[in-house]
Amino acid sequence: MTANILDTLHFLGTNDRNKSLFESNWPLPYGISYNSYLFTDQKTALLDTIEYGSDRSYFEDVTRILDGRDLDFLVILHMEPDHAGMIGELLQRYPHTTVVTNARAVKLVELYFPDIDKDRIREVKEGDKLDLGHHILQFVMTPMVHWPESMMAYCITENILFSQDAFGTFGTLDGGIFDDEINLEYYKDEMLRYYTNIIGRFSPQVQKALQKAAALPIRIICPVHGPVWRTDPKVVFDWYSGWAASKGEKGVVLAYATMYGHTQRTADYIARKLAVNGIRNIRVFDVSKTHPSFILKEIWKYNGVILGSCSYNTGMHPNMQHLCHEIEIMQPGRKKVFLFGGYSWSGGGLKNLQLFAQNMQQRHQWEIISPGTELPGYPAMKDLEKMDQDIKAYTATL
Ligand code: FEO
């Protein structure tokens, strides 16, 4: 899959519709794309590659676009193997190519491709430039967006930002490659899921990177996943700025674990009361049906989180544990919290949710509005109604 961005700048990408889980963790119901970029200036330069084995035509495309020329530079912006996978084979095919990357990436190159001749690597640091003829690339260090070695390249001649994972998204490029060829709302949703699953925990570093980028005139953004933003890059820039700020709007994500529907009865009772109390953004999930990937995306949007778990072997249900683990890792910002549980024959679901929430309160400024109630068996209406005042008080804090 190729496209011309400029006469001397080419998109080379592939769609991966086979992989079920990105990083063996995050569902890919709509696939994902891997993008790289090739300059055919006075010097030729490839920026990043794609995942190994994801596209048999990748090297055919590189060869065709080079049209008999050698590849002068391979610029490595990010070493995660979904972009670095083809480096070894590329450098075998192009034995005269110089690798351009930063010192942290060099260490990862040595780990992942120990056979690469170190004399082929040119180290760059913040502000260094690579002159291709017409295009001059300047390097911007953006550590932890997404890995420690991550950096961006900015073409100061044409005002193009090569942003690697930043501004990337899940979802294949189904025909449209540029922002003026796609449905933006479709990609906005998948981009938020990508952000909250992959980059979100590094939001402070994302904000620093955005501050650096905001000082630059940017005409085109070229990320390594998803569309190229050539018409209005401010759209995606603004989306990212909002997500990195982690300021949820008024609303609640209610996630529950249930085995036989008892805890679900409590969940639906609470959700109904929220609506009656005036909350309009309410998203309810059964954690055994919906993967944390999708729940995290919704949690990022809103300022309220309600978690409820049946008791399972004296603890919380394992699928609720999975969600809590991902929340703790990805750090979706400050939240107002309400908890509840189902006692079963032991109790323990709520107690473990409380421990989780207390940890989030201490480390990530969550606010526990209600430590919750653990209802036995099939919740009686009189017991559900005892929560009414707490739900009302919680609603008032949102
Ligand atoms: Fe798309 Fe962090 O790799």
Side-chain angles (χ1 to χ4, degrees):
M1 187 168 57
T2 62
N4 282 1
I5 300 173
L6 304 171
D7 287 345
T8 53
L9 174 59
H10 312 267
F11 167 97
L12 285 107
T14 194
N15 285 320
D16 188 341
R17 296 189 178 89
N18 295 321
K19 186 181 289 186
S20 301
L21 297 172
F22 186 69
E23 297 177 344
S24 298
N25 192 25
W26 308 106
L28 290 174
Y30 313 111
I32 190 166
S33 76
Y34 314 119
N35 311 340
S36 69
Y37 299 92
L38 179 56
F39 280 102
T40 50
D41 200 337
Q42 291 170 27
K43 295 285 187 182
T44 59
L46 183 67
L47 275 64
D48 288 320
T49 65
I50 60 173
E51 177 152 311
Y52 186 79
S54 59
D55 189 348
R56 60 172 285 179
S57 62
Y58 182 69
F59 287 116
E60 286 174 28
D61 291 337
V62 172
T63 304
R64 178 173 51 77
I65 294 171
L66 285 174
D67 194 22
R69 299 177 64 187
D70 204 351
L71 180 65
D72 296 306
F73 300 109
L74 169 65
V75 177
I76 301 173
L77 301 177
H78 183 24
M79 272 300 295
E80 190 165 6
D82 51 331
H83 312 293
M86 294 288 208
I87 286 175
E89 187 168 342
L90 184 96
L91 293 180
Q92 282 179 2
R93 287 172 181 251
Y94 294 94
H96 306 297
T97 300
T98 298
V99 175
V100 178
T101 195
N102 62 67
R104 283 175 163 162
V106 171
K107 288 186 178 148
L108 294 176
V109 171
E110 288 170 354
L111 291 177
Y112 291 155
F113 301 100
D115 296 334
I116 290 178
D117 179 359
K118 307 306 172 295
D119 292 340
R120 296 181 66 177
I121 302 177
R122 183 191 297 181
E123 265 186 40
V124 292
K125 54 186 186 312
E126 176 81 26
D128 283 356
K129 291 177 183 159
L130 181 66
D131 190 344
L132 302 178
H134 171 68
H135 299 276
I136 297 172
L137 299 180
Q138 186 160 30
F139 298 104
V140 183
M141 300 301 133
T142 55
M144 302 319 299
V145 186
H146 160 219
W147 277 11
E149 86 298 352
S150 291
M151 67 176 183
M152 298 186 188
Y154 177 65
C155 174
I156 59 178
T157 327
E158 296 286 350
N159 303 136
I160 304 169
L161 183 68
F162 297 89
S163 60
Q164 45 95 26
D165 272 345
F167 309 113
T169 179
F170 293 137
T172 49
L173 292 168
D174 296 340
I177 290 174
F178 298 98
D179 57 343
D180 47 279
E181 297 175 336
I182 59 170
N183 180 326
L184 293 183
E185 284 306 308
Y186 165 76
Y187 281 100
K188 183 179 183 183
D189 203 49
E190 276 296 86
M191 188 177 285
L192 176 57
R193 193 166 68 87
Y194 177 88
Y195 183 83
T196 60
N197 293 185
I198 308 297
I199 310 260
R201 70 167 294 177
F202 307 115
S203 286
Q205 290 90 338
V206 171
Q207 286 182 308
K208 280 184 193 163
L210 290 174
Q211 280 168 8
K212 282 187 182 181
L216 306 169
I218 295 174
R219 188 160 68 91
I220 304 173
I221 294 178
C222 297
V224 287
H225 300 290
V228 173
W229 298 80
R230 69 177 176 186
T231 301
D232 192 0
K234 187 173 182 306
V235 169
V236 72
F237 202 90
D238 289 348
W239 289 352
Y240 246 63
S241 300
W243 298 335
S246 303
K247 285 184 183 159
E249 63 178 297
K250 182 173 178 174
V252 175
V253 172
L254 192 165
Y256 66 90
T258 194
M259 287 186 287
Y260 303 109
H262 301 159
T263 311
Q264 176 177 318
R265 175 173 158 84
T266 311
D268 280 329
Y269 182 87
I270 295 170
R272 177 66 192 139
K273 287 293 171 190
L274 292 173
V276 169
N277 289 336
I279 303 301
R280 293 295 168 261
N281 293 308
I282 306 169
R283 304 284 180 267
V284 179
F285 297 98
D286 181 333
V287 293
S288 297
K289 176 73 184 295
T290 305
H291 191 281
S293 169
F294 301 92
I295 303 176
L296 261 178
K297 179 195 72 174
E298 295 301 317
I299 285 176
W300 217 273
K301 293 181 186 174
Y302 304 114
N303 63 349
V305 172
I306 298 181
L307 301 173
S309 180
C310 56
S311 298
Y312 190 93
N313 290 331
T314 73
M316 69 171 90
H317 192 277
N319 290 328
M320 179 58 76
Q321 189 86 54
H322 184 191
L323 175 64
C324 291
H325 169 78
E326 296 294 7
I327 290 173
E328 186 177 354
I329 297 292
M330 299 315 296
Q331 303 170 22
R334 296 182 186 190
K335 302 293 170 190
K336 312 273 188 179
V337 185
F338 185 106
L339 304 173
F340 67 99
Y343 185 82
S344 188
W345 47 262
S346 66
L350 178 62
K351 181 182 168 193
N352 282 278
L353 278 176
Q354 288 167 342
L355 291 171
F356 161 73
Q358 286 160 10
N359 179 41
M360 293 299 291
Q361 184 168 254
Q362 286 165 9
R363 296 178 57 206
H364 303 296
Q365 299 173 303
W366 279 30
E367 194 176 342
I368 302 172
I369 307 299
S370 170
T373 307
E374 196 164 54
L375 299 179
Y378 176 81
M381 187 53 71
K382 65 178 174 44
D383 290 332
L384 292 171
E385 286 171 351
K386 285 179 188 166
M387 294 194 299
D388 286 359
Q389 280 310 311
D390 284 349
I391 298 169
K392 195 166 189 176
Y394 175 74
T395 306
T397 68
L398 297 171

